[in-house]
Amino acid sequence: MTIEIGLLIAVFSLLISYLAYSLNKTKELKTDSKESAELKAELGYIRKGVDDIRIDLKANERQMIVLGERITRVEESSKQAHKRLDALEKEMNYNG
């Protein structure tokens, strides 16, 4: 009878150990899943931020191109104005 009780206690202990292991494994999986979900969410926020930066960078590049074109036009206009001023100056010196 004591052998049967000892055997019963051993089987019961094994069952409790297995259930505890299963419970801890489930909790660990839930924790890992939660951490994984948080990491994915954070990566999503980072990806969105990078995309926003790219959009802003493209807009800035377009503005730089427009400003470059405007500067070129201003330089050309300035060059023409200098030519006209030089011509006026020569005319005034010639007449003067």
Side-chain angles (χ1 to χ4, degrees), residues 8 13 22 24 30 33 40 46 51 60 63 75 84 86 90-91 93-94:
L8 186 62
S13 295
S22 296
N24 285 337
K30 286 181 182 178
S33 297
K40 286 181 182 179
I46 291 170
D51 289 342
N60 285 340
Q63 286 179 338
E75 288 173 342
R84 286 190 300 260
D86 289 342
K90 284 182 184 178
E91 190 176 313
N93 287 337
Y94 180 73

Side-chain angles (χ1 to χ4, degrees), residues 59-75:
N60 285 340
E61 288 174 355
R62 283 188 223 113
Q63 286 179 338
M64 293 298 289
I65 290 169
V66 169
L67 288 174
E69 292 170 354
R70 289 180 66 189
I71 287 173
T72 302
R73 286 190 298 244
V74 167
E75 288 173 342

Side-chain angles (χ1 to χ4, degrees), residues 14-65:
L14 283 173
L15 182 64
I16 290 175
S17 297
Y18 177 75
L19 291 174
Y21 170 76
S22 296
L23 181 64
N24 285 337
K25 189 174 179 181
T26 304
K27 284 182 182 179
E28 187 177 313
L29 286 173
K30 286 181 182 178
T31 303
D32 288 346
S33 297
K34 182 179 178 184
E35 290 175 1
S36 177
E38 289 173 354
L39 285 175
K40 286 181 182 179
E42 289 175 5
L43 284 174
Y45 293 135
I46 291 170
R47 184 176 296 126
K48 186 181 180 316
V50 169
D51 289 342
D52 290 344
I53 290 170
R54 284 184 183 153
I55 291 168
D56 291 343
L57 184 60
K58 286 180 182 178
N60 285 340
E61 288 174 355
R62 283 188 223 113
Q63 286 179 338
M64 293 298 289
I65 290 169

